[in-house]
Amino acid sequence: MIQLHNVSVTYQQDVCALHGISLMVPKGDFVFLTGASGAGKSTLLKLIYAEIIPNRGQVIIDSQNISRLTRSELPPLRRSIGIVFQDFRLLPNRTVMENVAITLEVLGLGRKEIVERVTRILTQVGLEQRMQATPCRLSGGEQQRVALARALVNEPKILLADEPTGNLDDENKARVLAILKEANCRGTTILVASHDRRLIASSHKRAVVLERGEIREVHDGAR
Amino acid sequence: MGRAKFLFGPVAGRGGIVGLIGYFFRRSFLNVRQNLLINALAVVTITLSFLIVSLFLLLYVNLEGAGELWSEKVQVTVYYDRELNGNEFSALKNVIMTLEGTGTVGYVSQDAALKRFRARLKGQEALLDGVPPEVLPASLEIRLKPAYRTSEAVEAYVSRLKKIPAIGEVQYGEEWVRRLTLFMNFMRFAGALLGGFIALAVLFIISNTIKITIYSRREEVELLELVGATRFFIKMPFLIEGMLQGFLGALLALVILAAVSWAFFNHAGTFLLFNPQEAGLLFIPMEYCAAIIAAGILAGFIGSLTSLHRFVNQS
């Protein structure tokens, strides 16, 4: 479960990115974070994977307060979270397969298991023919799916995706959404930051609308 | 798929510590291959740095060798205006040998002294025609052990020598010994100072070169942190890579210097006024070569460690 209690984040002392946010995401939920650019969607995701620490309030992930985590407690938490970055963050010198395998190498899995699991997830995202390509040889949609595969390959408890459908055509958007829903069906809690209102509406999932660092409204996503 | 199978080794947890170390080495070699250009540039920079170090050492070793060679000429001579008989020489030699610092003691008879003098006048031997051997003194030539060849040590030795009864007039070329001592001391001081500066500069260059290679891959470091890698897991391949760069750089520098030295020692005689081989010029001793390689590995390790400390803690 993800819990945010009265969380505020200020950048460079005076730029307020989030202000008094309280949010609860139960285990297995699928939530969209939406709002205009600068509303605080990415900042909220960064709080959950502890890239930043709140100036005020508490962020609790599976009963762990991220402000109180020691250096040795942080890696295990991050291993339970899959992240799809807005800029993909694929390593240009490594192949698609190696990019996806990073998550499993960190977990310490054996060679055979890594190859099996990477092959399975790349097949699932439709990139089984592109395993030996480097990211620069892939289209934007393919790079997006590699990033998604890397985040999902270790079957994380939580998946955070920052604009996973940005700059994708409708076919690729639907494909990405289907992959996310499938992961959600297997029990992964999913938080997606997106400003794509059509995608959110078509997903029928809960949506939290952010505006200038505050929660403006919450749609329950029911049909 | 075929190539990929070789990329992933058994890593932490499943393969134990041996598997983990194996993984780190495989990852490091793979990183070198995947970032070939930046690694090659780093190795070239380290090679050039170590070429300066090893060239300096080569000069130092040969100057030190020349100094040692000259210092062998330091000798104390005791003159007698008559010949010593066998018993007298043996008795004196036994007493002198008990003095601390004595290397060898030799006797030069008046006849031998005249022959030596004649040899020095090569081409003008006729000048000595009719000169009887008694004109020149007989002498004892005492060579000192290497540690006793400095100006102060020779002075102290001579004062102890003079206390022996039946010792004749003692000479040892004070001015020459003083100049040699001064030269050796200056060379050692300048060598240590210059060597220290070069070592610092090289460490700085290597550290910054490696910092640039790591900086160019900071995204990789950040990503590894975000997918939950421990700091140890992130740092190890980079540290091995740094040590590998340092090792290769130092090794290449030695290979290049060895090749250039070999060419110089064997062919410089044709265009120089002296033959380097006959002059007794030497390559850097093996222990110095080993020290250069070790310094390369250490510099690579320190360079990587300081850079990683900054990047890993920042993200």
Side-chain angles (χ1 to χ4, degrees), chain B residues 259-287:
Chain B
V260 173
S261 303
W262 182 85
F264 180 78
F265 291 165
N266 287 286
H267 302 290
T270 55
F271 59 87
L272 288 178
L273 292 174
F274 71 101
N275 188 333
Q277 273 180 322
E278 284 170 12
L281 293 184
L282 299 166
F283 189 62
I284 309 168
M286 278 314 285
E287 57 266 32

mmCIF file of all heavy atoms in Angstrom, chain B residues 259-287:
data_model
loop_
_atom_site.group_PDB
_atom_site.id
_atom_site.type_symbol
_atom_site.label_atom_id
_atom_site.label_comp_id
_atom_site.label_asym_id
_atom_site.label_seq_id
_atom_site.Cartn_x
_atom_site.Cartn_y
_atom_site.Cartn_z
ATOM 1 N N ALA B 259 60.936 -1.001 -25.766
ATOM 2 C CA ALA B 259 61.229 -1.059 -27.199
ATOM 3 C C ALA B 259 62.151 0.095 -27.604
ATOM 4 O O ALA B 259 63.144 -0.107 -28.320
ATOM 5 C CB ALA B 259 59.928 -1.001 -27.991
ATOM 6 N N VAL B 260 61.830 1.301 -27.113
ATOM 7 C CA VAL B 260 62.646 2.479 -27.457
ATOM 8 C C VAL B 260 64.057 2.330 -26.866
ATOM 9 O O VAL B 260 65.056 2.612 -27.532
ATOM 10 C CB VAL B 260 61.959 3.780 -26.958
ATOM 11 C CG1 VAL B 260 62.864 4.984 -27.145
ATOM 12 C CG2 VAL B 260 60.643 4.003 -27.695
ATOM 13 N N SER B 261 64.127 1.859 -25.617
ATOM 14 C CA SER B 261 65.428 1.681 -24.963
ATOM 15 C C SER B 261 66.270 0.655 -25.708
ATOM 16 O O SER B 261 67.463 0.845 -25.912
ATOM 17 C CB SER B 261 65.252 1.211 -23.516
ATOM 18 O OG SER B 261 64.477 2.103 -22.819
ATOM 19 N N TRP B 262 65.611 -0.455 -26.096
ATOM 20 C CA TRP B 262 66.337 -1.509 -26.816
ATOM 21 C C TRP B 262 66.938 -0.936 -28.108
ATOM 22 O O TRP B 262 68.104 -1.160 -28.405
ATOM 23 C CB TRP B 262 65.380 -2.659 -27.131
ATOM 24 C CG TRP B 262 66.077 -3.800 -27.828
ATOM 25 C CD1 TRP B 262 66.758 -4.831 -27.253
ATOM 26 C CD2 TRP B 262 66.169 -3.997 -29.251
ATOM 27 N NE1 TRP B 262 67.269 -5.650 -28.213
ATOM 28 C CE2 TRP B 262 66.939 -5.170 -29.453
ATOM 29 C CE3 TRP B 262 65.699 -3.304 -30.366
ATOM 30 C CZ2 TRP B 262 67.224 -5.668 -30.720
ATOM 31 C CZ3 TRP B 262 65.995 -3.785 -31.639
ATOM 32 C CH2 TRP B 262 66.742 -4.962 -31.799
ATOM 33 N N ALA B 263 66.108 -0.167 -28.834
ATOM 34 C CA ALA B 263 66.568 0.433 -30.084
ATOM 35 C C ALA B 263 67.720 1.398 -29.814
ATOM 36 O O ALA B 263 68.722 1.410 -30.535
ATOM 37 C CB ALA B 263 65.419 1.158 -30.769
ATOM 38 N N PHE B 264 67.585 2.180 -28.734
ATOM 39 C CA PHE B 264 68.626 3.170 -28.394
ATOM 40 C C PHE B 264 69.931 2.466 -27.995
ATOM 41 O O PHE B 264 71.001 2.802 -28.483
ATOM 42 C CB PHE B 264 68.129 4.061 -27.254
ATOM 43 C CG PHE B 264 69.104 5.110 -26.829
ATOM 44 C CD1 PHE B 264 69.274 6.270 -27.570
ATOM 45 C CD2 PHE B 264 69.873 4.939 -25.678
ATOM 46 C CE1 PHE B 264 70.190 7.236 -27.182
ATOM 47 C CE2 PHE B 264 70.788 5.893 -25.283
ATOM 48 C CZ PHE B 264 70.938 7.044 -26.039
ATOM 49 N N PHE B 265 69.828 1.482 -27.105
ATOM 50 C CA PHE B 265 71.024 0.792 -26.617
ATOM 51 C C PHE B 265 71.762 0.089 -27.765
ATOM 52 O O PHE B 265 72.973 -0.003 -27.761
ATOM 53 C CB PHE B 265 70.663 -0.250 -25.550
ATOM 54 C CG PHE B 265 70.175 0.359 -24.244
ATOM 55 C CD1 PHE B 265 69.518 -0.417 -23.301
ATOM 56 C CD2 PHE B 265 70.380 1.697 -23.970
ATOM 57 C CE1 PHE B 265 69.063 0.144 -22.113
ATOM 58 C CE2 PHE B 265 69.928 2.271 -22.780
ATOM 59 C CZ PHE B 265 69.269 1.497 -21.863
ATOM 60 N N ASN B 266 70.999 -0.420 -28.735
ATOM 61 C CA ASN B 266 71.616 -1.211 -29.799
ATOM 62 C C ASN B 266 72.037 -0.415 -31.025
ATOM 63 O O ASN B 266 72.888 -0.879 -31.776
ATOM 64 C CB ASN B 266 70.671 -2.334 -30.228
ATOM 65 C CG ASN B 266 70.612 -3.420 -29.169
ATOM 66 O OD1 ASN B 266 71.552 -4.199 -29.011
ATOM 67 N ND2 ASN B 266 69.543 -3.433 -28.407
ATOM 68 N N HIS B 267 71.432 0.731 -31.221
ATOM 69 C CA HIS B 267 71.735 1.466 -32.455
ATOM 70 C C HIS B 267 72.277 2.875 -32.251
ATOM 71 O O HIS B 267 72.733 3.484 -33.212
ATOM 72 C CB HIS B 267 70.487 1.530 -33.348
ATOM 73 C CG HIS B 267 69.953 0.175 -33.702
ATOM 74 N ND1 HIS B 267 70.618 -0.668 -34.554
ATOM 75 C CD2 HIS B 267 68.857 -0.496 -33.278
ATOM 76 C CE1 HIS B 267 69.940 -1.802 -34.659
ATOM 77 N NE2 HIS B 267 68.869 -1.728 -33.881
ATOM 78 N N ALA B 268 72.222 3.390 -31.008
ATOM 79 C CA ALA B 268 72.634 4.780 -30.805
ATOM 80 C C ALA B 268 74.136 4.958 -31.042
ATOM 81 O O ALA B 268 74.590 6.057 -31.348
ATOM 82 C CB ALA B 268 72.262 5.247 -29.410
ATOM 83 N N GLY B 269 74.896 3.851 -30.910
ATOM 84 C CA GLY B 269 76.345 3.918 -31.119
ATOM 85 C C GLY B 269 76.715 4.434 -32.497
ATOM 86 O O GLY B 269 77.785 5.021 -32.679
ATOM 87 N N THR B 270 75.815 4.242 -33.468
ATOM 88 C CA THR B 270 76.124 4.653 -34.842
ATOM 89 C C THR B 270 76.036 6.165 -35.038
ATOM 90 O O THR B 270 76.647 6.693 -35.959
ATOM 91 C CB THR B 270 75.159 3.980 -35.834
ATOM 92 O OG1 THR B 270 73.832 4.282 -35.418
ATOM 93 C CG2 THR B 270 75.353 2.473 -35.869
ATOM 94 N N PHE B 271 75.275 6.870 -34.210
ATOM 95 C CA PHE B 271 75.183 8.331 -34.380
ATOM 96 C C PHE B 271 75.599 9.118 -33.139
ATOM 97 O O PHE B 271 75.628 10.339 -33.161
ATOM 98 C CB PHE B 271 73.768 8.741 -34.831
ATOM 99 C CG PHE B 271 72.673 8.344 -33.892
ATOM 100 C CD1 PHE B 271 72.312 9.165 -32.837
ATOM 101 C CD2 PHE B 271 71.993 7.148 -34.068
ATOM 102 C CE1 PHE B 271 71.294 8.799 -31.974
ATOM 103 C CE2 PHE B 271 70.982 6.779 -33.201
ATOM 104 C CZ PHE B 271 70.638 7.595 -32.161
ATOM 105 N N LEU B 272 75.909 8.430 -32.039
ATOM 106 C CA LEU B 272 76.395 9.144 -30.857
ATOM 107 C C LEU B 272 77.907 8.943 -30.731
ATOM 108 O O LEU B 272 78.481 8.056 -31.359
ATOM 109 C CB LEU B 272 75.699 8.622 -29.601
ATOM 110 C CG LEU B 272 74.223 9.007 -29.424
ATOM 111 C CD1 LEU B 272 73.669 8.384 -28.165
ATOM 112 C CD2 LEU B 272 74.050 10.513 -29.349
ATOM 113 N N LEU B 273 78.525 9.759 -29.858
ATOM 114 C CA LEU B 273 79.976 9.647 -29.693
ATOM 115 C C LEU B 273 80.360 8.499 -28.775
ATOM 116 O O LEU B 273 81.521 8.173 -28.623
ATOM 117 C CB LEU B 273 80.532 10.973 -29.136
ATOM 118 C CG LEU B 273 80.449 12.156 -30.109
ATOM 119 C CD1 LEU B 273 80.872 13.437 -29.420
ATOM 120 C CD2 LEU B 273 81.311 11.890 -31.341
ATOM 121 N N PHE B 274 79.344 7.915 -28.112
ATOM 122 C CA PHE B 274 79.653 6.782 -27.224
ATOM 123 C C PHE B 274 78.693 5.641 -27.513
ATOM 124 O O PHE B 274 77.620 5.844 -28.065
ATOM 125 C CB PHE B 274 79.551 7.210 -25.756
ATOM 126 C CG PHE B 274 78.141 7.456 -25.296
ATOM 127 C CD1 PHE B 274 77.464 6.499 -24.547
ATOM 128 C CD2 PHE B 274 77.477 8.625 -25.615
ATOM 129 C CE1 PHE B 274 76.163 6.726 -24.130
ATOM 130 C CE2 PHE B 274 76.175 8.844 -25.214
ATOM 131 C CZ PHE B 274 75.519 7.908 -24.471
ATOM 132 N N ASN B 275 79.117 4.446 -27.124
ATOM 133 C CA ASN B 275 78.262 3.276 -27.303
ATOM 134 C C ASN B 275 77.500 3.019 -25.999
ATOM 135 O O ASN B 275 78.118 2.742 -24.967
ATOM 136 C CB ASN B 275 79.127 2.061 -27.654
ATOM 137 C CG ASN B 275 78.270 0.878 -28.039
ATOM 138 O OD1 ASN B 275 77.129 0.769 -27.599
ATOM 139 N ND2 ASN B 275 78.833 0.005 -28.860
ATOM 140 N N PRO B 276 76.145 3.155 -26.029
ATOM 141 C CA PRO B 276 75.378 3.007 -24.784
ATOM 142 C C PRO B 276 75.611 1.667 -24.092
ATOM 143 O O PRO B 276 75.601 1.594 -22.872
ATOM 144 C CB PRO B 276 73.924 3.129 -25.245
ATOM 145 C CG PRO B 276 73.986 3.839 -26.541
ATOM 146 C CD PRO B 276 75.278 3.435 -27.165
ATOM 147 N N GLN B 277 75.844 0.618 -24.888
ATOM 148 C CA GLN B 277 76.049 -0.697 -24.269
ATOM 149 C C GLN B 277 77.357 -0.732 -23.484
ATOM 150 O O GLN B 277 77.410 -1.232 -22.365
ATOM 151 C CB GLN B 277 76.068 -1.771 -25.349
ATOM 152 C CG GLN B 277 74.665 -2.265 -25.659
ATOM 153 C CD GLN B 277 74.665 -3.334 -26.728
ATOM 154 O OE1 GLN B 277 75.428 -3.273 -27.683
ATOM 155 N NE2 GLN B 277 73.796 -4.310 -26.562
ATOM 156 N N GLU B 278 78.399 -0.148 -24.090
ATOM 157 C CA GLU B 278 79.699 -0.129 -23.407
ATOM 158 C C GLU B 278 79.682 0.816 -22.211
ATOM 159 O O GLU B 278 80.422 0.621 -21.255
ATOM 160 C CB GLU B 278 80.803 0.293 -24.386
ATOM 161 C CG GLU B 278 81.179 -0.823 -25.347
ATOM 162 C CD GLU B 278 82.087 -0.335 -26.458
ATOM 163 O OE1 GLU B 278 82.601 0.801 -26.371
ATOM 164 O OE2 GLU B 278 82.276 -1.103 -27.430
ATOM 165 N N ALA B 279 78.841 1.857 -22.301
ATOM 166 C CA ALA B 279 78.757 2.819 -21.197
ATOM 167 C C ALA B 279 78.031 2.220 -19.991
ATOM 168 O O ALA B 279 77.950 2.841 -18.940
ATOM 169 C CB ALA B 279 78.036 4.076 -21.654
ATOM 170 N N GLY B 280 77.504 1.012 -20.146
ATOM 171 C CA GLY B 280 76.861 0.317 -19.029
ATOM 172 C C GLY B 280 75.460 0.818 -18.733
ATOM 173 O O GLY B 280 74.998 0.713 -17.592
ATOM 174 N N LEU B 281 74.783 1.406 -19.734
ATOM 175 C CA LEU B 281 73.417 1.887 -19.501
ATOM 176 C C LEU B 281 72.481 0.694 -19.277
ATOM 177 O O LEU B 281 72.617 -0.350 -19.901
ATOM 178 C CB LEU B 281 72.923 2.719 -20.677
ATOM 179 C CG LEU B 281 73.632 4.055 -20.890
ATOM 180 C CD1 LEU B 281 72.991 4.827 -22.028
ATOM 181 C CD2 LEU B 281 73.590 4.900 -19.620
ATOM 182 N N LEU B 282 71.546 0.893 -18.363
ATOM 183 C CA LEU B 282 70.659 -0.213 -17.971
ATOM 184 C C LEU B 282 69.195 0.158 -18.198
ATOM 185 O O LEU B 282 68.842 1.341 -18.181
ATOM 186 C CB LEU B 282 70.826 -0.502 -16.469
ATOM 187 C CG LEU B 282 72.201 -0.938 -15.996
ATOM 188 C CD1 LEU B 282 72.257 -0.841 -14.488
ATOM 189 C CD2 LEU B 282 72.481 -2.358 -16.460
ATOM 190 N N PHE B 283 68.330 -0.869 -18.364
ATOM 191 C CA PHE B 283 66.881 -0.626 -18.358
ATOM 192 C C PHE B 283 66.430 -0.628 -16.895
ATOM 193 O O PHE B 283 67.177 -1.013 -16.007
ATOM 194 C CB PHE B 283 66.165 -1.720 -19.167
ATOM 195 C CG PHE B 283 64.702 -1.416 -19.393
ATOM 196 C CD1 PHE B 283 64.311 -0.299 -20.106
ATOM 197 C CD2 PHE B 283 63.719 -2.232 -18.857
ATOM 198 C CE1 PHE B 283 62.969 0.007 -20.288
ATOM 199 C CE2 PHE B 283 62.373 -1.938 -19.033
ATOM 200 C CZ PHE B 283 62.001 -0.812 -19.760
ATOM 201 N N ILE B 284 65.208 -0.173 -16.669
ATOM 202 C CA ILE B 284 64.682 -0.127 -15.295
ATOM 203 C C ILE B 284 64.691 -1.547 -14.707
ATOM 204 O O ILE B 284 64.250 -2.483 -15.378
ATOM 205 C CB ILE B 284 63.231 0.399 -15.303
ATOM 206 C CG1 ILE B 284 63.152 1.705 -16.091
ATOM 207 C CG2 ILE B 284 62.704 0.606 -13.904
ATOM 208 C CD1 ILE B 284 61.737 2.136 -16.399
ATOM 209 N N PRO B 285 65.157 -1.713 -13.467
ATOM 210 C CA PRO B 285 65.156 -3.059 -12.878
ATOM 211 C C PRO B 285 63.742 -3.631 -12.757
ATOM 212 O O PRO B 285 62.771 -2.875 -12.704
ATOM 213 C CB PRO B 285 65.748 -2.840 -11.483
ATOM 214 C CG PRO B 285 66.335 -1.489 -11.485
ATOM 215 C CD PRO B 285 65.694 -0.710 -12.563
ATOM 216 N N MET B 286 63.656 -4.957 -12.691
ATOM 217 C CA MET B 286 62.350 -5.641 -12.663
ATOM 218 C C MET B 286 61.473 -5.176 -11.506
ATOM 219 O O MET B 286 60.260 -5.043 -11.642
ATOM 220 C CB MET B 286 62.541 -7.164 -12.584
ATOM 221 C CG MET B 286 62.822 -7.818 -13.916
ATOM 222 S SD MET B 286 61.752 -7.287 -15.255
ATOM 223 C CE MET B 286 60.248 -8.139 -14.836
ATOM 224 N N GLU B 287 62.101 -4.938 -10.349
ATOM 225 C CA GLU B 287 61.281 -4.532 -9.186
ATOM 226 C C GLU B 287 60.650 -3.157 -9.417
ATOM 227 O O GLU B 287 59.541 -2.894 -8.962
ATOM 228 C CB GLU B 287 62.073 -4.598 -7.870
ATOM 229 C CG GLU B 287 63.339 -3.768 -7.820
ATOM 230 C CD GLU B 287 64.569 -4.580 -8.196
ATOM 231 O OE1 GLU B 287 64.440 -5.501 -9.021
ATOM 232 O OE2 GLU B 287 65.654 -4.269 -7.667
#
